[in-house]
Amino acid sequence: MSVTEADIKKLASLARIQISEEEVKTFRNEIDSILGYVDQLNTVSASVSAHSQVVPEHRNQVREDISHSDTNPNPEVLVDAAPSSESGFVKVKKILN
Amino acid sequence: MDISTLTIEKALELLARGEITSVSLVEACIEEIKKKDGEVHAYLEVFTDALEQAKIADQKRKDGDTGSLLGIPFSIKDNILIEGKRAGAASKILENYVAPYDATVIKNLKKAGAVFIGRVNMDEFAMGGSTENSAYGITKNPLDTSRVSGGSSGGSAASVSMHGALASLGSDTGGSIRQPASYCGVVGLKPTYGSVSRHGLMAMGSSLDVIGPIAHTVRDCEIVFNAIKGFEGGRDVYDSTSLSADEYKKVASEHVREESRPLRVGIVPALMNMGGVQDSVKKNLEESIELLKKAGCEIVDVELPNIGYSLAVYYVLMPAEVSSNMSRFDGVKFGSKSEGGDLLEDYLKTRGELLGKEVRRRIMLGTYVLSSGYYDAYYNKANVVRKLIADDFKKAFTKVDVILTPTAPSPAFKIGAHSSDPLQMYLEDVFTVTANLVGVPAISVPSGVVEDEGVKLPLGIQFTAPHCREDILFEVGKKFESVRVK
């Protein structure tokens, strides 16, 4: 098995997901079996270097920096969708001590 | 009115002649929902204003409005935003979320006069192939309620199949429109990537996602597709990957389909030898090939040398994109929240407790393949192979107009059959993911039934066409419908 329980805990922490000890075990088995399956990509002809880059077909599109307030929802509606807000701002717990 | 024999095409005729009203259509759908949905559970919510919308549509018709879908009842997948309505992607993390704006497809449907009956169930955030991953319970197959409806657009397919709506919008990232359509005996179209705006669709894999219709006939899917594609004034400013009408035409012109010669249907013999494809599915494909010959199509063998890697490529790229897209659900900006002691604990608890197991699994898998040290081996490699697969298709389409495969390796499976083995569930996507990786359009059309335990289960075949050639899918799909054994 290539993925360890420590790896799973690290991934969960990077992804900001709390998981139980029991889930660490099941996720480890499942993720390991999925990675085992996708490892077949390494059998694709040797001429394909893992480092060769593919230029994506879709390029980033920029648009004029103009307000679409006529068609966009009112900012208050968006702020109201937050679990916690105050005076038109999204509210979070104190970050710096 | 017998709603069970109605299509959009037929309903529009009857509406135009004044023989039925939108109100009567909506009432008939609601009647079916009352009869069947207690068991099937396709709908998460039937909108209280559905009849009101229908009344408005009827009045508009009286006033001379001729919208292309005026008065036609739709169900909408729970990950597509309708202003002022709940939308939750069947996830606890979006409990109580109300859509602040209309998705572009909804704007287009409203313009065409469609009526929204309600929002329908799905795998949480469209992650799954059976609608068993919904936080609000399973959607059962209306044709055999011991089986799944497919997924992730299982609610969409089931709602149409049980006549609780004339059509539905679903989303397709790896087969999520076509596979449930196949399981429920209806038609499902995954359009060309970019032909339909993704604005207002909750993102899963942004380089793969597309919105499309599920309906009873190929013609109905065509009518809906024509209504939802396209945007005012070129591309949709809110979806930078959308195609303008001119771009669509230009891309379409790259494939030459001479009307004077028979339609060339490509088949991939090597595909059928892959493990896991049921004999009944193979037999049905053989029969479908014979029917297409009878309909005047020419059958040509084609090779897609790298197609066997599609699923592996998909299960690297899709989780990678999922892990990025899902980072917005953190209990801060919208939806619900699980309180912790500090901000970090808020994140950990919200995402740990309110996201389902499959969603968390995919986020972690994506985090893994994108992490330093593994990025080249997985993400980069998968992108390279994705390009190889796209090149294979390009080459194949110089010989044929369309490629035929089954939609899924089996008919609808029993509820719970794959729930303990995610990899087995992923293998259900083997025929469908390629169209998403390549960006080409594909359609699933019912192709007969297989009898299992005394129940007739529908099967579907899938046609895949070159970019922006939905017209070829509609042509071959209608041909097939005309010769198909009913």
Side-chain angles (χ1 to χ4, degrees), chain A residues 15-31:
Chain A
R16 299 285 188 259
I17 292 172
Q18 190 175 66
I19 55 173
S20 67
E21 280 299 322
E22 198 186 321
E23 279 188 325
V24 170
K25 287 194 178 66
T26 54
F27 276 135
R28 179 193 174 202
N29 288 333
E30 290 163 356
I31 288 177

Side-chain angles (χ1 to χ4, degrees), chain A residues 2-3 7-8 11-19 23 26-27 30-31 33-35 37-45 48-55 57-61 63 68 71-73 77-79 81-84 90-95, chain B residues 97 100-101 193 235 237-238 240-241 306 308-309 311-313 315-316 331-337 339-344 346-349 351-353 357 360-361 363-365 367-369 376-378 380-385 387-388 422-423 426-427:
Chain A
S2 57
V3 181
D7 288 338
I8 296 296
L11 287 174
S13 140
L14 286 171
R16 299 285 188 259
I17 292 172
Q18 190 175 66
I19 55 173
E23 279 188 325
T26 54
F27 276 135
E30 290 163 356
I31 288 177
S33 100
I34 296 161
L35 289 172
Y37 179 79
V38 304
D39 268 343
Q40 62 175 283
L41 288 177
N42 293 318
T43 65
V44 179
S45 70
V48 182
S49 156
H51 294 278
S52 59
Q53 292 284 340
V54 175
V55 181
E57 207 171 308
H58 293 277
R59 313 309 291 261
N60 203 16
Q61 305 273 343
R63 63 169 175 83
H68 288 269
T71 53
N72 274 340
V77 177
L78 297 176
V79 173
S84 181
V90 170
K91 192 176 169 185
V92 294
K93 292 198 173 80
K94 196 167 138 185
I95 297 169
Chain B
Y97 179 71
Y101 57 90
Y193 181 76
R235 66 170 76 234
V237 291
Y238 298 118
S240 62
T241 57
N306 295 292
Y309 296 111
L311 205 59
V313 171
Y315 276 96
V316 171
V332 172
K333 295 180 279 293
F334 30 65
S336 19
K337 171 183 180 181
E339 286 287 343
D342 55 21
L343 185 63
L344 178 62
D346 280 0
Y347 291 154
L348 291 169
K349 285 187 72 159
R351 291 164 65 80
E353 291 170 9
K357 199 167 182 216
R360 287 179 291 139
R361 186 189 298 124
I363 293 172
M364 292 207 289
L365 194 57
T367 307
Y368 183 85
V369 300
D376 277 338
Y378 290 106
N380 232 348
K381 188 74 182 258
N383 266 319
V384 171
V385 182
K387 181 74 170 49
L388 294 179
L423 186 57
Y426 295 174
L427 294 175

Side-chain angles (χ1 to χ4, degrees), chain B residues 161-395:
Chain B
S161 174
M162 71 179 195
H163 309 290
L166 279 186
S168 187
L169 288 189
S171 64
D172 193 313
T173 307
S176 281
I177 287 174
R178 292 159 285 159
Q179 184 253 32
S182 160
Y183 284 6
C184 293
V186 290
V187 182
L189 170 72
K190 172 235 173 279
T192 304
Y193 181 76
S195 64
V196 176
S197 170
R198 292 182 289 116
H199 176 60
L201 168 71
M202 293 182 201
M204 177 180 161
S206 300
S207 79
L208 305 156
D209 294 342
V210 63
I211 297 172
I214 290 178
H216 286 292
T217 62
V218 173
R219 173 61 189 148
D220 280 7
C221 280
E222 183 180 12
I223 295 170
V224 180
F225 174 68
N226 286 335
I228 60 173
K229 73 172 183 188
F231 333 100
E232 267 177 47
R235 66 170 76 234
D236 187 353
V237 291
Y238 298 118
D239 175 359
S240 62
T241 57
S242 59
L243 297 166
S244 68
D246 288 344
E247 287 169 306
Y248 183 88
K249 262 188 222 143
K250 188 171 161 281
V251 175
S253 71
E254 287 167 16
H255 178 84
V256 181
R257 156 94 183 93
E258 291 161 38
E259 301 289 335
S260 58
R261 62 163 171 79
L263 193 81
R264 290 196 187 122
V265 179
I267 53 169
V268 196
L271 258 189
M272 298 316 288
N273 300 327
M274 291 192 314
V277 184
Q278 284 191 7
D279 288 342
S280 61
V281 171
K282 290 182 188 173
K283 185 165 164 272
N284 181 262
L285 190 78
E286 291 303 323
E287 290 164 358
S288 301
I289 290 170
E290 290 310 311
L291 289 173
L292 285 164
K293 281 185 193 161
K294 216 196 279 177
C297 298
E298 194 184 323
I299 307 293
V300 182
D301 282 3
V302 291
E303 276 181 42
L304 298 167
N306 295 292
I307 197 171
Y309 296 111
S310 301
L311 205 59
V313 171
Y314 179 74
Y315 276 96
V316 171
L317 298 181
M318 177 274 294
E321 296 185 21
V322 161
S323 74
S324 314
N325 275 325
M326 294 302 295
S327 64
R328 76 194 59 176
F329 299 101
D330 55 6
V332 172
K333 295 180 279 293
F334 30 65
S336 19
K337 171 183 180 181
S338 280
E339 286 287 343
D342 55 21
L343 185 63
L344 178 62
E345 229 174 73
D346 280 0
Y347 291 154
L348 291 169
K349 285 187 72 159
T350 299
R351 291 164 65 80
E353 291 170 9
L354 302 177
L355 291 175
K357 199 167 182 216
E358 180 65 26
V359 176
R360 287 179 291 139
R361 186 189 298 124
R362 293 194 193 191
I363 293 172
M364 292 207 289
L365 194 57
T367 307
Y368 183 85
V369 300
L370 289 176
S371 60
S372 159
Y374 296 106
Y375 182 89
D376 277 338
Y378 290 106
Y379 187 73
N380 232 348
K381 188 74 182 258
N383 266 319
V384 171
V385 182
R386 179 183 198 173
K387 181 74 170 49
L388 294 179
I389 296 167
D391 291 345
D392 287 349
F393 269 82
K394 210 171 215 172
K395 210 169 139 198

Side-chain angles (χ1 to χ4, degrees), chain B residues 389-457:
Chain B
I389 296 167
D391 291 345
D392 287 349
F393 269 82
K394 210 171 215 172
K395 210 169 139 198
F397 283 132
T398 62
K399 287 197 209 153
V400 297
D401 301 304
V402 71
I403 292 170
L404 170 71
T405 65
T407 305
S410 72
F413 49 88
K414 292 269 186 187
I415 291 166
H418 296 331
S419 48
S420 61
D421 186 355
L423 186 57
Q424 200 53 46
M425 183 79 92
Y426 295 174
L427 294 175
E428 288 290 316
D429 299 338
V430 66
F431 294 120
T432 47
V433 293
T434 43
N436 301 79
L437 292 174
V438 180
V440 287
I443 195 166
S444 175
V445 184
S447 58
V449 290
V450 52
E451 200 155 316
D452 192 359
E453 296 175 6
V455 186
K456 283 183 178 151
L457 301 170

Side-chain angles (χ1 to χ4, degrees), chain B residues 23-44:
Chain B
V23 167
S24 65
L25 270 178
V26 170
E27 279 173 347
C29 288
I30 289 175
E31 193 57 39
E32 295 301 312
I33 295 167
K34 275 188 187 146
K35 256 191 276 176
K36 299 169 187 163
D37 209 39
E39 174 78 5
V40 173
H41 189 47
Y43 279 86
L44 291 174

